[in-house]
Amino acid sequence: MNKYFHSVELDADKCCGCTNCLKRCPTEAIRIRDGKANILSERCIDCGECIRVCPHHAKKARSNQLEEIEQYKIKVAMPAPALFGQFNNLDDIDYVLTGLRAVGFDYVYEVSRGAELVSEATRMLIRENKLKKPIISSACPAVVRLIKIRFPELCDNVMPLQAPMEVAAQMARREVRGMTGLSDDDIGVFFITPCPAKVTEINSPNHADKSAVSGAIAISQLYPALTHAMEHLNTVEPIAKSGLIGVGWATSGGEAAAMLGEKYLAADGIENVIRVLEELEDDHIHALDFIELNACSGGCVGGVLTVENPYVAQARIHNLRKFLPVSLNHLDDNDLKIMMWENELKYNADSFRLSDDLFEAMEMMDKMEHICSELPGLDCGSCGAPTCRALAEDIVKGKAKETDCIHKLKEKIQSVYDQLSTL
Amino acid sequence: MSSIHLHYDVSGDDFTRAGEASGSVKKRLKALGYNTDAIRRVAIAMYEAEINMVIHADGGFCDVDIYPDKVEILLSDHGPGIPDVEKAMQEGFSTAPDNVRNLGFGAGMGLPNIKKYTDEMRIETTLGVGTNLYLTVKAQ
């Protein structure tokens, strides 16, 4: 496997080298080289913003096809709660869950069940008061990756608990093993995902060596088959086993509200998330126990692999929750132990530093400041870097040259022309 | 290369812009791969000092020198000066006006916090002339 697995990738045939994704990438991870928007692997957090903004659909997310579930004896679907917000007039989650059975899954385990366990575990950890406050949610993998590459001093604030997807996968496997006597190799557990960051998390987890999830199928990809199946159901099976706390995780604020306390903050949208993290790092945010951060606007319902407008989905989730009991899943004695992270979150300084040698880095920065002062400061993106400063950085790293700046190039041509005309 | 010198003008009329200088320094220190604890302390102390300049002194300027083993910061203003430095260093002592307190600033923790997060701190102040605040954060 590559050092960095990414689910977001470029379809070079469709990319025309425009600057839409370049300007919107929150970690400045895109450079247009040879007319194509390449992704800098060490900086990409798989948030999917480039997929969202590309007018040519040249950025896409890798995920699994429905047919791939066939390689397993038992096929388990794990729908993200965001899936329940994608359907018009849905008043019973069991329609969706029975629909998943109809498209080929043997067993359905809602991720919202895992979410309820995570909520309970978080409340317990807050009560025990052993974690560094404020505790930052670890549920959104794009946010966790962002902290890992950009916020060294906040790594210790991230809650060392696995995300609901991972917890649900472990619980689902335990149940299926118990019912069938099969081994883990025969059980395929597929997450029905609203976002590419989760696909990355499955293939290259932040917290463990290997994920218990076998693969991920995009909500948008499964949607046609699933809606067709749901329209042709004969009976609706009573499958749902999660309450309003678990389903509430689909939208921003749901996880934080499940803390049942008042000292929390919930921010969504990657730019807002970055602002909160910057302020946390500078010690401006006080007196909070818990911070929920979602890379997508509206929370998981805003994921780029969903089909419905996130605010419509949010309203539907709100409506669905009204009829549900509070919580149907509770921790057993040993559950907390298997939910804790195997590996602690370590800062990866490589993504943004100029050199691993401080003296060399200082020299590079000195040159960079000088180059930057000579550039026009328009941040136009025509050179292929998102800002003039980013171009200066690329130049000192030997990855670009000054005349990549079209304004610099124009000056140079003008001066050559002037010289020639005096001959 | 012995140090990197950075200069910032701190505007006095806009609260929301306080933090631009400290944010910029923080970004550069991360790009250098600087000691992460020192980055955090520089960012916190400098932001506090910037806010002080905006609240009390109508802005000023800020000079930063980054050395391999330490960061030196000078924050200079032409404000009213600090009449009693010892008193200003007490936690909770504040002369900030109400409109500033309403925004959650002016709790009287500015100078004490700056002292807490830096390794060296020196104040030169003259009433009616202005204040120079010298800070040093060492990279341990």
Side-chain angles (χ1 to χ4, degrees):
Chain A
M1 194 187 292
N2 289 338
K3 192 170 167 203
Y4 305 97
F5 171 94
H6 287 293
S7 54
V8 177
E9 50 184 20
L10 176 74
D11 183 341
D13 293 338
K14 288 185 182 163
C15 178
C16 69
C18 71
T19 57
N20 282 298
C21 63
L22 180 76
K23 300 295 289 180
R24 291 283 292 274
C25 174
T27 56
E28 297 193 341
I30 296 174
R31 295 291 183 276
I32 319 263
R33 297 271 180 263
D34 302 321
K36 303 291 172 192
N38 293 299
I39 299 172
L40 304 179
S41 190
E42 69 279 12
R43 285 193 185 176
C44 175
I45 56 169
D46 291 293
C47 65
E49 284 302 309
C50 54
I51 299 178
R52 206 189 298 279
V53 299
C54 179
H56 311 287
H57 307 288
K59 285 284 197 303
K60 54 183 188 182
R62 260 197 262 183
S63 60
N64 296 96
Q65 307 292 320
L66 183 57
E67 297 74 50
E68 291 177 59
I69 68 173
E70 296 304 332
Q71 58 188 301
Y72 295 93
K73 281 191 187 147
I74 295 282
K75 308 145 188 79
V76 183
M78 291 205 313
L83 178 67
F84 310 140
Q86 309 298 312
F87 309 95
N88 214 356
N89 299 322
L90 180 75
D91 56 6
D92 183 356
I93 288 168
D94 277 327
Y95 273 95
V96 184
L97 305 185
T98 311
L100 286 167
R101 299 253 292 123
V103 299
F105 289 98
D106 302 300
Y107 189 77
V108 181
Y109 194 101
E110 307 133 82
V111 170
S112 39
R113 295 178 63 183
E116 294 190 340
L117 297 178
V118 174
S119 287
E120 194 168 305
T122 309
R123 288 197 297 271
M124 205 158 149
L125 292 172
I126 289 179
R127 243 189 348 258
E128 283 176 4
N129 218 4
K130 282 183 195 148
L131 298 179
K132 192 173 166 193
K133 281 186 186 165
I135 301 163
I136 302 172
S137 161
S138 55
C140 174
V143 170
V144 174
R145 262 163 225 276
L146 177 68
I147 293 172
K148 194 171 163 175
I149 63 167
R150 208 169 133 177
F151 296 95
E153 293 292 319
L154 297 179
C155 288
D156 292 342
N157 291 69
V158 180
M159 188 170 59
L161 270 182
Q162 291 176 355
M165 172 186 78
E166 201 59 42
V167 172
Q170 296 204 37
M171 299 299 168
R173 283 186 180 280
R174 194 164 71 184
E175 276 195 29
V176 175
R177 280 195 310 262
M179 284 187 309
T180 62
L182 288 171
S183 78
D184 273 329
D185 292 344
D186 291 326
I187 305 168
V189 177
F190 287 84
F191 180 55
I192 313 301
T193 185
C195 81
K198 287 286 186 193
V199 182
T200 305
E201 185 60 16
I202 293 165
N203 286 282
S204 155
N206 276 313
H207 56 80
D209 299 328
K210 193 176 182 305
S211 169
V213 187
S214 317
I217 300 171
I219 287 179
S220 53
Q221 205 174 354
L222 189 63
Y223 194 73
L226 182 57
T227 42
H228 180 80
M230 284 166 64
E231 280 160 17
H232 296 87
L233 293 177
N234 295 324
T235 53
V236 176
E237 300 169 48
I239 300 172
K241 284 191 187 114
S242 46
L244 65 88
I245 281 188
V247 174
W249 275 63
T251 63
S252 175
E255 179 191 3
M259 295 305 107
L260 309 177
E262 283 164 359
K263 293 192 218 164
Y264 68 79
L265 165 164
D268 53 301
I270 192 73
E271 295 301 334
N272 295 326
V273 165
I274 290 172
R275 224 169 294 154
V276 169
L277 290 172
E278 291 281 357
E279 292 205 16
L280 265 179
E281 192 179 42
D282 296 350
D283 207 21
H284 303 161
I285 297 178
H286 301 281
L288 291 178
D289 284 340
F290 186 77
I291 297 195
E292 174 187 337
L293 300 171
N294 289 291
C296 296
S297 293
C300 295
V301 287
V304 289
L305 303 180
T306 60
V307 293
E308 187 53 272
N309 171 320
Y311 299 95
V312 173
Q314 194 170 19
R316 289 177 183 160
I317 293 279
H318 183 71
N319 212 29
L320 271 174
R321 288 176 73 213
K322 276 198 292 202
F323 306 104
L324 297 176
V326 177
S327 176
L328 292 173
N329 298 273
H330 301 285
L331 291 174
D332 278 335
D333 292 344
N334 292 319
D335 288 350
L336 187 61
K337 220 160 64 195
I338 61 165
M339 288 165 69
M340 299 298 285
W341 274 358
E342 284 172 32
N343 308 333
E344 63 179 297
L345 193 68
K346 282 224 174 68
Y347 174 55
N348 178 2
D350 289 341
S351 301
F352 288 100
R353 74 178 165 193
L354 293 164
S355 161
D356 50 14
D357 178 81
L358 180 59
F359 292 90
E360 190 183 40
M362 285 178 71
E363 265 176 36
M364 289 168 83
M365 182 164 293
D366 200 48
K367 274 187 208 150
M368 202 175 130
E369 299 290 343
H370 179 72
I371 295 168
C372 205
S373 68
E374 303 271 301
L375 292 172
L378 298 172
D379 294 342
C380 67
S382 303
C383 61
T387 61
C388 293
R389 207 178 157 73
L391 174 63
E393 184 185 336
D394 290 348
I395 293 171
V396 297
K397 284 181 167 171
K399 292 178 180 166
K401 50 189 192 303
E402 207 166 34
T403 46
D404 286 340
C405 170
I406 56 165
H407 306 279
K408 278 275 159 198
L409 183 65
K410 203 169 123 193
E411 267 174 35
K412 221 165 215 167
I413 292 171
Q414 184 68 45
S415 94
V416 171
Y417 172 78
D418 290 346
Q419 278 171 20
L420 284 174
S421 60
T422 58
L423 286 177
Chain B
M1 154 111 294
S2 60
S3 80
I4 288 174
H5 180 77
L6 303 164
H7 174 87
Y8 301 92
D9 289 314
V10 179
S11 152
D13 52 6
D14 190 353
F15 248 109
T16 57
R17 286 183 54 190
E20 279 185 5
S22 55
S24 160
V25 172
K26 185 164 83 172
K27 199 171 170 192
R28 281 162 175 76
L29 289 171
K30 284 183 185 175
L32 290 173
Y34 216 72
N35 173 284
T36 59
D37 176 62
I39 297 176
R40 187 179 74 101
R41 293 190 295 127
V42 166
I44 297 173
M46 217 179 131
Y47 181 81
E48 288 282 352
E50 264 184 87
I51 285 280
N52 274 353
M53 270 166 110
V54 177
I55 296 175
H56 298 290
D58 197 26
F61 71 85
C62 175
D63 278 317
V64 180
D65 286 285
I66 303 169
Y67 297 88
D69 59 339
K70 64 181 175 181
V71 180
E72 288 184 352
I73 306 159
L74 161 64
L75 295 114
S76 178
D77 67 57
H78 293 295
I82 306 168
D84 187 340
V85 174
E86 215 170 291
K87 216 171 183 181
M89 287 303 299
Q90 287 170 13
E91 292 190 3
F93 177 80
S94 174
T95 57
D98 283 346
N99 64 334
V100 171
R101 286 170 191 253
N102 286 342
L103 287 165
F105 299 102
M109 292 304 292
L111 285 175
N113 262 341
I114 294 170
K115 192 170 174 59
K116 182 174 146 195
Y117 286 105
T118 53
D119 295 297
E120 285 165 32
M121 165 176 162
R122 188 159 58 86
I123 302 175
E124 284 174 4
T125 183
T126 311
L127 285 181
V129 178
T131 301
N132 286 339
L133 178 64
Y134 296 89
L135 308 174
T136 305
V137 172
K138 292 178 184 162
Q140 270 100 11

